[in-house]
Amino acid sequence: MPIAAVPHYLANQDLSTASPALRFGMYLRLWGIDSRSRECLWTTHDVNYRTAGRDRTERAFKDENKTRALRESARLNDSDRCMLDGLASRQTTLAALAACSHPVFTLDALSIAPFTTGLGNEHPLENGFAFLNPYGLPYLPGSGVKGVLRQAARELAAGGWDDPAGWDDTPHYPLMTGGPEHRKALLDKRQRPVMLSSLDVLFGRETPDGDSNHVRGALTFWDVIPQIPGDSLSVEIMTPHQSHYYQQKAQAGSTTPHESGQPNPISFLTVPPGARFVFHVQCDLAHLRRLAPALAADERWRTLLDAAFRHAFDWLGFGAKTAVGYGAMHENPAAAAARAAERASIEAQRQAEEDARQRAALPPDARLLAELDLELARLPQDPRTKTPIMQQTSRQEWPCLLDRLAAQAPTLDGLAKAEREALATAIKQRLSRHFKVEGKADKAMKQVLSTVRGA
C-alpha cells in the first residue's frame, strides 16, 4: 500500500476533501513500501511477494504506484466543483462590471482533445501540472493565452495564409509622448520616430537592443478556469521507446536508435475533452486610443482578436503538447449561435440608423415615400411570388398609416402643387397594393390624400 510523504500525524487522515493540487503534490500516495517489512522504500513502486514458478517458491515483485496515485489525485469532490463554478461566475460578473471603462472580449470554447499544462513543473513523476493557487484547481494561465494569440497574430500578419484577417506587422503608429497639447513622437537611437505595429500596440513591445522604448500592450489576458465534465481529471500515458537515444545513455550496448530499447511509460494529468473554457481579454481603451486610435475605432481590436482566436483554435492549440494534438478547441456552438445573433442584431441596428440618416437627407416627398415603403415592407408577403398579400383595412396597421401620413402633411408645405399631386398618386398606388380599400376605408384614404395635396 503506497504512502504519502507526510508527518505521522497526517498519515491516517482522510485526504479526499483536499484540493487536487494537494493530493497531486504534498499528499500524493506514491512512495512504495515493502509489504513484508513495512519499510518505506522511497520508490514509485511497492515490493510485494507471491508464490510462483514450478518450485512454488516465494518471490518478490514490483507493484507500480504511478497510475493509481494519479487517479486518486485526479478526483474532483463536491467542494472542487463548487469552487470551479464559483470562480467562473466571478469572472463573468467582473467582465460585465468592467465593460463600461475597460471593455472585455469574451469567447466561450469547448476542448475537443485532452488539455494539459505545467508539465515542466517539478514533480516526482517527472511531469508536473499547473494548479491555481490558493484554490488548487486546474487552470490555463493568462500568460499562456497571450503567448498563443501573439503567435497566431504573427502567423496571420506574416501573410502565409489566404486571409490575414486584418493583421499586419508593418509599423503604422508613431509612439507619442507628452500631453494632448504638446504630443511629439519618441525617437530611437538613430533619431528616427519609433513606430508600432498592431501587434506591438495590442500585445506590447520589448526591444531586443535594450533601449527604453518598451510599450505596454493594450490587452490584458485573464486566467481561464476550465469547467470540467464528470468528476475527475484524466490520466494520460506517453511511452518513449527510444529514451536511450534521446538521452544518449548506453542501453542495450548502443546510443543509436533501435527497437531493443526499454519503453518507459510516463503518466501525466490532463483535463478531459469536452471541458468548457471561457476566455476573457480586457482592453485598456484609453491606452489604445493614445497608441492607435484606428484600432479603437469601431472596436476593430475585437475583430482582430476574434481572428487570432479562430486561427489558434484551428492551427495552434493551448497548453502543452499541442504538436501531438493536445489543447485543441473550438467555439462553443451554443455561444457561437448567440454571438452570431448578437452581431446580426447590432448590424441590423447600425443599418437601421444609417437608413434613417439617409432618409432624413431626402426631400420631404421622397422621405415620406421611403418611410411609407419601410412600413409596408413589414406586412406579409407571398413566399413564392414575393408579392404583397392583400390586407383588410380592419388591421391596426391601416389607421396607423393614415394617421402618420396626415401628421407628416405639414412638412410638404414647400412643395409645388404638381409635386404634391404626384406624391398623393404614389401613396394611393402603394396603399392599394397592400390593402383592400373599400367603403369607409376608401373615404378615410381620400381625406388623407386631400391633406397631402394641400386642398
Side-chain angles (χ1 to χ4, degrees):
M1 176 66 182
I3 63 172
V6 296
H8 290 295
Y9 59 83
L10 290 177
N12 297 320
Q13 296 293 321
D14 180 13
L15 304 177
S16 61
T17 58
S19 68
L22 287 176
R23 283 184 269 120
F24 178 73
M26 185 179 297
Y27 301 151
L28 187 67
R29 296 186 183 275
L30 175 69
W31 305 113
I33 59 175
D34 188 308
S35 62
R36 176 175 293 173
S37 65
R38 311 308 299 174
E39 175 189 1
C40 182
L41 304 175
W42 298 113
T43 60
T44 58
H45 61 267
D46 293 334
V47 173
N48 294 324
Y49 298 86
R50 64 186 173 192
T51 301
R54 290 184 178 182
D55 54 357
R56 307 303 296 170
T57 58
E58 188 178 53
R59 301 179 183 181
F61 69 95
K62 296 179 180 180
D63 191 359
E64 289 290 343
N65 298 325
K66 296 178 182 179
T67 302
R68 179 170 50 189
L70 277 180
R71 292 193 186 281
E72 183 179 337
S73 65
R75 291 197 306 271
L76 298 175
N77 55 46
D78 293 340
S79 177
D80 298 330
R81 300 200 61 80
C82 289
M83 185 66 71
L84 285 171
D85 294 340
L87 290 172
S89 299
R90 184 187 301 175
Q91 283 193 328
T92 301
T93 302
L94 289 174
L97 292 175
C100 298
S101 57
H102 294 81
V104 178
F105 175 91
T106 299
L107 186 61
D108 194 335
L110 292 177
S111 63
I112 56 177
F115 164 82
T116 187
T117 186
L119 295 182
N121 296 345
E122 292 186 356
H123 193 269
L125 294 182
E126 301 181 29
N127 288 287
F129 193 83
F131 290 99
L132 178 62
N133 289 327
Y135 309 103
L137 296 172
Y139 82 119
L140 171 58
S143 58
V145 179
K146 180 178 181 179
V148 172
L149 293 182
R150 183 194 286 271
Q151 179 60 26
R154 282 199 192 105
E155 292 185 3
L156 290 171
W161 304 86
D162 292 338
D163 181 11
W167 284 101
D168 183 6
D169 55 5
T170 305
H172 291 294
Y173 312 102
L175 179 57
M176 309 295 287
T177 185
E181 298 179 356
H182 306 285
R183 290 174 64 82
K184 61 179 181 179
L186 281 176
L187 303 180
D188 59 17
K189 293 180 179 180
R190 292 175 293 181
Q191 299 302 306
R192 296 177 181 177
V194 177
M195 304 297 290
L196 304 176
S197 67
S198 55
L199 281 82
D200 298 329
V201 170
L202 295 177
F203 294 99
R205 174 180 183 266
E206 186 172 349
T207 55
D209 55 0
D211 65 29
S212 60
N213 296 325
H214 302 312
V215 177
R216 173 177 64 87
L219 300 180
T220 302
F221 298 83
W222 294 11
D223 294 339
V224 182
I225 311 298
Q227 301 302 295
I228 302 170
D231 59 357
S232 177
L233 301 174
S234 296
V235 178
E236 298 276 325
I237 298 176
M238 54 181 168
T239 307
H241 284 255
Q242 309 287 349
S243 58
H244 67 282
Y245 168 65
Y246 296 132
Q247 300 177 12
Q248 289 296 293
K249 293 182 177 179
Q251 297 180 7
S254 174
T255 56
T256 59
H258 54 76
E259 296 304 321
S260 301
Q262 294 294 326
N264 180 29
I266 301 174
S267 303
F268 60 99
L269 284 181
T270 67
V271 174
R276 183 184 177 198
F277 289 74
V278 181
F279 295 86
H280 298 284
V281 183
Q282 192 171 16
C283 178
D284 187 341
L285 207 53
H287 184 56
L288 181 60
R289 287 177 178 141
R290 287 193 297 268
L291 294 178
L295 297 182
D298 297 326
E299 296 193 324
R300 184 165 172 248
W301 65 273
R302 287 183 183 271
T303 304
L304 294 175
L305 195 55
D306 184 74
F309 264 110
R310 296 188 183 283
H311 184 79
F313 286 162
D314 292 340
W315 298 100
L316 300 180
F318 292 83
K321 298 181 70 65
T322 56
V324 291
Y326 284 76
M329 301 183 190
H330 65 187
E331 188 172 4
N332 189 339
R339 277 217 310 158
E342 182 181 2
R343 286 197 298 266
S345 176
I346 294 174
E347 178 60 24
Q349 181 178 358
R350 188 197 65 77
Q351 187 62 45
E353 293 174 352
E354 179 63 24
D355 292 344
R357 284 194 294 269
Q358 292 180 0
R359 289 195 300 272
L362 294 173
D365 53 343
R367 182 170 66 249
L368 190 149
L369 285 178
E371 293 176 353
L372 178 61
D373 288 337
L374 183 63
E375 295 295 330
L376 293 175
R378 297 171 181 167
L379 295 174
Q381 288 186 336
D382 189 324
R384 295 168 299 178
T385 62
K386 303 299 181 182
T387 57
I389 298 176
M390 297 294 287
Q391 306 293 309
Q392 299 293 334
T393 54
S394 57
R395 289 176 59 95
Q396 181 64 29
E397 288 84 358
W398 174 254
C400 290
L401 285 173
L402 295 184
D403 291 344
R404 180 170 295 184
L405 290 171
Q408 293 183 4
T411 64
L412 307 173
D413 291 343
L415 296 178
K417 184 174 181 60
E419 292 175 327
R420 299 185 70 156
E421 182 66 35
L423 176 61
T425 302
I427 292 173
K428 182 178 180 180
Q429 291 174 348
R430 283 167 166 76
L431 293 178
S432 299
R433 283 200 301 267
H434 289 80
F435 290 94
K436 295 180 180 179
V437 184
E438 300 173 340
K440 293 182 179 180
D442 183 53
K443 183 178 180 180
M445 183 181 68
K446 289 180 179 179
Q447 289 178 349
V448 172
L449 295 178
S450 178
T451 305
V452 171
R453 293 188 181 95

